[in-house]
Amino acid sequence: MATVMEFLHTATLVHDDVIDRADTRRSRPTVNALYGNETAVLMGDWLYMSAFETTLTERSLPILDILTRVTRKMTEGELLQLTLLGQTDVSESQYLDVLQRKTSYLFSACCEIGAILGKASERQQESLRDYGLNLGTAFQLIDDLLDFTSNDDVLGKAAGVDLLGGKVTLPLIYLTEADDDAREMIRIVLNDESYNSVAREDLLDAVERVGALERARLRADEYAEKARAALDNLPESEYCDSLRAIPSYVLDRDR
């Protein structure tokens, strides 16, 4: 089942790179950059189908239900994101809804399936489901922050591309709440699909000036703490200790 989840995850990445027109991931060329969009789309589809084919060997309807549900939510997240591309008035709730559908529910499914395979109680299964959801949200919040604050070499992919791709993430949402003039800067970058007219450094200075980066970081901290709290219903063990350590790793990572 771990292989199944990796197949699903990789399928989403391959398809995302096509949608985002990304050329690199983890410092390596993407499938679409190497072989074209047609091959990348078909490869993603093959990974999806292989994941479900392998799942059938478990003969577990609850697990199949979880995978079907998470696949639907991830697809909905992509579709919802398309409706928000290029908009400067995205709300925090809209942003979090897309983020959780695209990322958090996959984390949650991994944890819940692990609980089922480990014959956990219903309460423990629910706790691990919540753990994954909150951990995944914290992870993606940090990922969106790193797109702002990191660089190409550290990230292993192009930095600052979220806005160029039409995506207004949480730091920019907080910036527009604090500074009405910043909305015009964001609109120019969205229209130009480049930082030629408005420098990326100017936007970074603006989000730092109004405390938007720190505010977004605090939101990630909140979800990380919720993830840790969800583990309170699990028996103490070295494995539970490892799960408790993951949110800190997520918050402190630089790539």
Side-chain angles (χ1 to χ4, degrees):
M1 286 310 302
T3 302
V4 165
M5 302 314 291
E6 273 304 314
F7 272 29
L8 280 179
H9 181 217
T10 304
T12 65
L13 298 183
V14 171
H15 282 167
D16 276 357
D17 287 339
V18 173
I19 294 169
D20 297 339
R21 293 172 289 181
D23 294 326
T24 58
R25 182 178 287 277
R26 297 289 181 242
S27 300
R28 296 183 179 184
T30 56
V31 175
N32 51 297
L34 287 172
Y35 306 110
N37 288 342
E38 294 87 353
T39 299
V41 169
L42 291 171
M43 182 55 134
D45 291 345
W46 181 87
L47 287 165
Y48 269 123
M49 292 305 98
S50 297
F52 277 92
E53 185 179 40
T54 305
T55 301
L56 289 174
T57 63
E58 284 293 323
R59 298 292 187 267
S60 170
L61 283 178
I63 289 177
L64 197 57
D65 283 345
I66 292 170
L67 291 182
T68 303
R69 186 166 61 248
V70 73
T71 302
R72 175 173 55 79
K73 284 186 178 295
M74 287 190 291
T75 306
E76 289 171 350
E78 287 290 352
L79 291 170
L80 286 171
Q81 182 169 269
L82 288 176
T83 68
L84 299 175
L85 287 180
Q87 295 188 26
T88 60
D89 58 350
V90 179
S91 68
E92 181 176 352
S93 61
Q94 287 175 312
Y95 163 80
L96 287 173
D97 185 32
V98 170
L99 178 156
Q100 291 183 333
R101 289 175 190 270
K102 287 189 60 180
T103 302
S104 308
Y105 283 106
L106 180 61
F107 277 67
S108 182
C110 289
C111 295
E112 186 172 6
I113 289 172
I116 292 172
L117 295 175
K119 296 180 173 53
S121 68
E122 186 174 335
R123 186 184 183 194
Q124 291 170 342
Q125 181 178 329
E126 182 179 344
S127 295
L128 281 166
R129 182 197 310 147
D130 291 344
Y131 169 81
L133 186 68
N134 287 297
L135 179 67
T137 304
F139 175 91
Q140 191 58 48
L141 284 169
I142 293 297
D143 209 58
D144 291 347
L145 274 174
L146 290 174
D147 181 72
F148 252 100
T149 60
S150 193
N151 57 63
D152 296 9
D153 292 337
V154 174
L155 281 181
K157 60 181 179 180
V161 297
D162 283 346
L163 187 57
L164 299 183
K167 302 171 189 173
V168 175
T169 53
L170 196 57
L172 291 179
I173 293 171
Y174 288 155
L175 174 61
T176 57
E177 291 176 359
D179 184 352
D180 289 336
D181 295 335
R183 194 181 301 274
E184 179 61 18
M185 296 171 62
I186 297 168
R187 187 192 63 77
I188 291 172
V189 177
L190 289 171
N191 288 342
D192 293 350
E193 296 184 359
S194 74
Y195 291 108
N196 293 332
S197 301
V198 176
R200 180 169 171 250
E201 291 74 17
D202 291 341
L203 272 178
L204 184 57
D205 288 343
V207 292
E208 287 180 334
R209 185 180 67 251
V210 302
L213 284 179
E214 182 59 28
R215 189 177 168 193
R217 171 77 186 200
L218 288 173
R219 286 294 274 153
D221 289 344
E222 290 173 12
Y223 281 101
E225 185 53 41
K226 287 180 182 178
R228 295 189 195 96
L231 298 174
D232 289 345
N233 291 325
L234 271 62
E236 291 298 327
S237 70
E238 60 184 306
Y239 311 108
C240 193
D241 290 342
S242 295
L243 290 176
R244 281 201 178 90
I246 294 175
S248 296
Y249 165 76
V250 163
L251 294 175
D252 295 336
R253 68 194 179 94
D254 60 3
R255 65 179 66 197

